Amino acid sequence: MAIGALGGQARADDAATVDEVIVTGTREVGRTQFTTLAPIDVLSEKTIQASATAQLGENLAQQIPSFIVQRLPTSDGLQFVRPATLRNLSPDQTLVLVNGKRFHRSAFLGSRGAQSADLAQIPSFAVKRIEVLRDGASAQYGSDAIAGVINVILNDEPGVRAFAQAGQFSEGDGETYRAGVRAGMQLAEDGHLALTAEWSDAKATSRSRQRQDAIDFQTANPGLTLPNPVQRWGNPDLETQSLALDGAVPVASLGELYGFATFTRTEGVNDINWRNPASNPGIYGRSSAFPGFDLKTIYPAGFTPVEGVEGEDYQTVLGLRQDGGIISWDISASYGRNTSSFFLDNTINASLGPNSPTSFDLGDLVQEEFNLNADGVYRLDLGALAEPVNIAFGAERRVETYGIKAGDPASYAVGPGAATGLAPGANGFPGFSDIQAGEWEQESYAAYVDVEAQLTEQWSLGGALRYEDFSEFGDTVNGKIASRFALTDNLALRGSWSTGFRAPTPGQLNSTSTSQGLDTVTLQLFTSGRLSPTNPVAAFLGAEPLSPEESDTLAGGLTWRTDYGFTGSIDAYQIDVSDRFSSSASVTVTPAIRAQLVAAGVPGASAFTRVNWFTNDFDTRTRGVDVVGAYDRDLGPGRLNLTGAYNYNETEVTDGAIATNATQKRQFEERTPQHNATASATYGFGAFEVTGRARYYGSWTDSTGNSTGDIFQTFGAVTFVDLAVSYSPTERISIRVGAENIFDTYPDEAVFQASRGLIYSRNSPYDTNGAMYYLRLDTTF
């Protein structure tokens, strides 16, 4: 839904100040960070561009302690579509907006089936500022806004700017090159047009040691030469090209015609696990189906499959709005599409033997969303109140489509070698089969009302109510009440209570992730893996259609400002989420169960052996505190700016299957740090500016991968320090030399995960590549 001041994005000189007009979490014109009813972080353009990373999600993670982005190397699509969490909730429980309009999801379903928007698809050089609402907001914006809302506001300012950047990690790898140009022009009668192009090329990193089984294999086969390491753990090799367009022009007496669009194309590759010839008979075994064929003639030293993705993402929005007077309105349409095409090189479908290719097209995942929105704001003057009552209202229609396109037949084929025990499908990542392929749609309608009233000079009150109806599961109603009371002109209390929800997506409701094999005794095909919860086999075994995840959020705190530049806020929160999505336990389809399924006439029942499905599985309670402070004033020959933020966040599993499994419960509750903080200092004087930043992550726990003995490993707290120095010889040129993690700090090694050559935990909530040194040139024309 459209948000904020309907007539356009608010303009301000510095997004870091508390008097910055914000447009997220309110439809009241003129709200600021200090007067808003809920906590909002604002990242200015300068702050965003101060980071060395090209990815917007990683940028936010460096600035906001409650926001975490994982790297997850060698994790199929998750190494390319990195999960980002706010307040330790699921990635798809945070709503992402661009210019106040809902941004579409990624096509990739991640951990526990999460399907979230991918911030990396938004070019960072096109961004004017980012507003992060840290409060439940489903009653205002609909599905997904359980943890909060991230609103990315594109830059509409006139002028031409460009930058070029080069960097490298301290270990001599991960060379990263970035460049971008943005041109904006003012059109007649307050119109504007801005175009941004950005490119980045980040080379792969490796934080690996040689696997012990590779060392043993090399010793036993001295005539072979194995790469060292045989498998690389680290960042993928990733190239990205992005475009952004933002424009608006007055249209006679109708109002303002506006539109914006983003487009991103990515291509990345990364290693997955090495295949050892000595311990993989399902790959290297000799088969009577292929007399004389030996895979060692192709891969004598084993092989490491290389997984890759070619992604394409775009979103377009077109609307007409009118702002001013008693009534403002905004009518818009948007269309977004995300496509991930997966491929696999340097591998084989062993069951096809010598007839197998060594590279495979694995198929495509496609996510499409089409939104129609109508929003209005009516200013009702009651006379007795300090200000007119702000009554916002609107309606939305959204169509969400998910599709799976099958890969090469060889990528999922069960070849003749399967009868003698050779593994079917592309080894490392079987392609999407014709059984999995399909397209599914969900349609929803929504209506809302959002009221804010200044009851007295000190007391403001807001409330929102939203109704949504979904074609796949029915309707839901959510509400929110928020209030703020000013104790003085510079000190205020605020609090809110809200309910929220996250609707299951067509991908979660309908997609499957299965593979086929051949029973070497019966020579019958079998199918195993994740089914749709509506699949007849899954339904027979107890699966039920997914229902929405639901939440109750209670928050409260205080905010302050002073005449001497010190501002800040403290906010506590409790978020109860019920019916959270997860995968069910795997069910073995025994011959007896299979006979029942066949007798009941369930299609394809005779082929299933072991299956699971997505389910509404467990409940959680998240409690935490956010503390934010800033100090800004002239000091000596220059100006000093200090910022600091701290987040304490604790999540407890309160009910469901995970609650009864001590191992899973601990892994879920302790997988991210409970204590996170960031602090920065910037001092500008003359042509120079120096910025230092410290990022602190508390201890956290990860699974060792062991089924007995040491099941967990706890990783200690770690602090990373960043430093940058900028020099501007003229008003139009700026040169910055910087280092992120300047002291080359590494976390504890993952001692129990080292058998595969991994040094640091693959589930680390922060970067594990060491220091990144970079040089950046900015120019203004």
Side-chain angles (χ1 to χ4, degrees):
M1 306 293 280
I3 66 172
L6 294 174
Q9 302 300 338
R11 300 170 184 261
D13 295 327
D14 184 0
T17 66
V18 292
D19 290 327
E20 168 81 19
V21 175
I22 54 94
V23 295
T24 310
T26 180
R27 295 177 172 91
E28 170 72 80
V29 177
R31 287 287 184 194
T32 68
Q33 276 187 279
F34 180 65
T35 62
T36 185
L37 279 61
I40 292 180
D41 297 312
V42 180
L43 277 66
S44 67
E45 178 187 8
K46 181 178 179 180
T47 299
I48 296 165
Q49 296 307 314
S51 175
T53 180
Q55 299 212 356
L56 208 55
E58 293 180 18
N59 196 315
L60 280 174
Q62 293 177 347
Q63 318 286 343
I64 300 173
S66 58
F67 192 77
I68 288 177
V69 174
Q70 292 179 287
R71 294 277 185 173
L72 298 176
T74 313
S75 301
D76 292 336
L78 288 176
Q79 59 192 323
F80 305 111
V81 185
R82 294 169 183 158
T85 63
L86 183 64
R87 291 180 165 176
N88 200 25
L89 296 177
S90 177
D92 51 6
Q93 291 173 345
T94 299
L95 177 63
V96 175
L97 310 172
V98 175
N99 282 355
K101 306 294 183 180
R102 178 183 287 266
F103 192 69
H104 57 276
R105 309 176 195 278
S106 165
F108 189 78
L109 274 65
S111 176
R112 301 184 184 277
Q115 189 183 2
S116 59
D118 183 7
L119 286 165
Q121 304 302 321
I122 304 172
S124 61
F125 197 56
V127 177
K128 181 178 182 179
R129 72 176 187 273
I130 301 175
E131 298 180 356
V132 181
L133 170 65
R134 291 179 277 111
D135 196 27
S138 291
Q140 296 167 290
Y141 304 124
S143 178
D144 307 350
I146 289 177
V149 178
I150 297 173
N151 187 15
V152 180
I153 299 170
L154 301 179
N155 199 330
D156 57 2
E157 297 295 330
V160 179
R161 295 184 55 190
F163 84 97
Q165 179 181 308
Q168 186 179 61
F169 286 102
S170 58
E171 300 220 7
D173 60 4
E175 302 95 325
T176 301
Y177 304 97
R178 299 177 57 198
V181 60
R182 195 192 74 82
M185 65 179 69
Q186 194 76 32
L187 303 180
E189 300 182 39
D190 295 327
H192 71 270
L193 180 66
L195 176 65
T196 303
E198 186 172 1
W199 165 83
S200 70
D201 186 9
K203 301 301 182 184
T205 63
S206 178
R207 301 297 175 265
S208 319
R209 296 192 180 105
Q210 186 65 296
R211 293 169 53 135
Q212 185 59 50
D213 59 345
I215 295 173
D216 296 340
F217 182 80
Q218 179 71 85
T219 301
N221 298 271
L224 297 175
T225 301
L226 271 67
N228 188 5
V230 292
Q231 174 186 347
R232 181 180 53 77
W233 292 90
N235 293 353
D237 194 318
L238 187 65
E239 183 175 3
T240 305
Q241 301 103 30
S242 299
L243 296 172
L245 177 69
D246 186 277
V249 62
V251 180
S253 60
L254 293 178
E256 183 182 57
L257 180 68
Y258 69 94
F260 55 91
T262 60
F263 174 83
T264 298
R265 179 174 290 153
T266 58
E267 182 171 357
V269 294
N270 208 13
D271 288 356
I272 52 181
N273 287 305
W274 176 64
R275 270 54 179 171
N276 186 340
S279 58
N280 284 283
I283 306 171
Y284 277 88
R286 303 293 288 270
S287 172
S288 58
F290 313 114
F293 174 69
D294 187 348
L295 184 58
K296 291 179 182 178
T297 61
I298 301 176
Y299 298 123
F303 62 96
T304 301
V306 177
E307 179 191 351
V309 65
E310 293 177 347
E312 191 171 276
D313 183 285
Y314 60 86
Q315 175 145 340
T316 59
V317 177
L318 183 66
L320 184 67
R321 62 193 172 198
Q322 189 174 80
D323 186 19
I326 298 177
I327 297 180
S328 300
W329 53 267
D330 183 343
I331 299 173
S332 66
S334 68
Y335 174 75
R337 177 184 172 95
N338 178 272
T339 303
S340 295
S341 302
F342 292 93
F343 58 90
L344 197 66
D345 295 333
N346 197 49
T347 186
I348 197 167
N349 180 336
S351 71
L352 295 176
N355 301 314
S356 172
T358 56
S359 294
F360 300 88
D361 172 7
L362 302 177
D364 303 343
L365 302 177
V366 182
Q367 172 76 13
E368 296 179 290
E369 297 179 31
F370 178 70
N371 295 339
L372 289 174
N373 295 93
D375 303 278
V377 173
Y378 176 64
R379 301 275 290 174
L380 177 62
D381 192 349
L382 295 180
L385 299 183
E387 298 286 345
V389 178
N390 198 81
I391 304 174
F393 51 91
E396 179 183 61
R397 175 181 180 266
R398 185 164 79 253
V399 179
E400 190 172 345
T401 306
Y402 189 78
I404 299 177
K405 297 182 180 180
D408 296 334
S411 71
Y412 56 85
V414 181
T420 58
L422 292 181
N427 201 267
F429 189 158
F432 305 124
S433 69
D434 51 355
I435 297 175
Q436 296 171 255
E439 185 175 279
W440 306 274
E441 182 179 284
Q442 178 169 259
E443 187 176 21
S444 65
Y445 293 87
Y448 75 91
V449 61
D450 186 354
V451 180
E452 288 187 40
Q454 193 70 38
L455 301 180
T456 68
E457 292 291 341
Q458 292 79 31
W459 185 23
S460 54
L461 182 66
L465 190 67
R466 184 183 183 96
Y467 170 83
E468 295 209 28
D469 184 75
F470 289 79
S471 59
E472 299 306 296
F473 64 83
D475 57 9
T476 179
V477 178
N478 290 273
K480 181 172 183 176
I481 298 174
S483 185
R484 178 183 181 276
F485 187 82
L487 301 173
T488 70
D489 289 343
N490 294 322
L491 180 65
L493 299 173
R494 62 190 179 196
S496 66
W497 171 83
S498 64
T499 63
F501 77 106
R502 199 194 69 74
T505 69
Q508 293 164 333
L509 288 164
N510 300 285
S511 70
T512 63
S513 180
T514 58
S515 60
Q516 288 191 310
L518 191 73
D519 190 305
T520 57
V521 176
T522 66
L523 299 184
Q524 297 294 311
L525 281 172
F526 64 83
T527 302
S528 61
R530 176 178 59 79
L531 302 179
S532 161
T534 61
N535 181 282
V537 173
F540 183 90
L541 296 173
E544 296 180 356
L546 291 172
S547 59
E549 299 173 318
E550 298 182 341
S551 67
D552 282 279
T553 299
L554 183 64
L558 59 89
T559 181
W560 67 85
R561 61 184 179 184
T562 65
D563 295 333
Y564 51 86
F566 178 49
T567 62
S569 62
I570 300 175
D571 292 276
Y573 55 88
Q574 176 177 292
I575 308 169
D576 290 310
V577 186
S578 59
D579 295 328
R580 294 186 65 166
F581 295 172
S582 186
S583 295
S584 72
S586 291
V587 177
T588 299
V589 184
T590 64
I593 295 175
R594 195 175 299 116
Q596 287 181 282
L597 289 165
V598 172
V602 176
S606 61
F608 289 98
T609 57
R610 189 171 181 83
V611 298
N612 63 1
W613 52 85
F614 288 143
T615 181
N616 295 98
D617 188 54
F618 63 106
D619 303 340
T620 61
R621 168 168 287 179
T622 299
R623 288 173 169 165
V625 176
D626 286 315
V627 181
V628 178
Y631 179 73
D632 186 68
R633 67 175 303 168
D634 292 330
L635 183 66
R639 189 167 185 86
L640 176 67
N641 179 270
L642 303 175
T643 63
Y646 164 78
N647 171 252
Y648 169 76
N649 194 93
E650 180 183 23
T651 296
E652 176 188 4
V653 179
T654 57
D655 197 11
I658 293 180
T660 61
N661 186 313
T663 299
Q664 290 188 20
K665 184 175 186 290
R666 182 178 176 188
Q667 186 175 348
F668 184 87
E669 293 178 344
E670 301 179 20
R671 59 183 175 169
T672 57
Q674 290 185 349
H675 301 272
N676 298 284
T678 182
S680 66
T682 300
Y683 187 66
F685 55 100
F688 292 91
E689 185 174 81
V690 180
T691 299
R693 179 176 59 199
R695 294 174 280 135
Y696 172 84
Y697 299 88
S699 62
W700 59 287
T701 300
D702 194 14
S703 169
T704 63
N706 300 334
S707 58
T708 60
D710 294 304
I711 298 176
F712 297 102
Q713 180 180 351
T714 297
F715 295 84
V718 64
T719 300
F720 303 116
V721 177
D722 309 329
L723 183 64
V725 179
S726 299
Y727 171 64
S728 301
T730 72
E731 291 183 356
R732 298 184 179 275
I733 297 176
S734 176
I735 302 169
R736 182 165 80 240
V737 179
E740 294 188 347
N741 186 9
I742 191 171
F743 297 122
D744 203 25
T745 301
Y746 286 93
D748 298 338
E749 294 190 6
V751 295
F752 297 107
Q753 300 179 34
S755 61
R756 290 182 290 170
L758 181 149
I759 299 177
Y760 308 104
S761 173
R762 64 186 300 188
N763 298 312
S764 171
Y766 36 67
D767 179 79
T768 59
N769 284 296
M772 158 65 84
Y773 305 110
Y774 67 95
L775 174 66
R776 173 166 171 150
L777 171 68
D778 282 89
T779 61
T780 303
F781 301 97

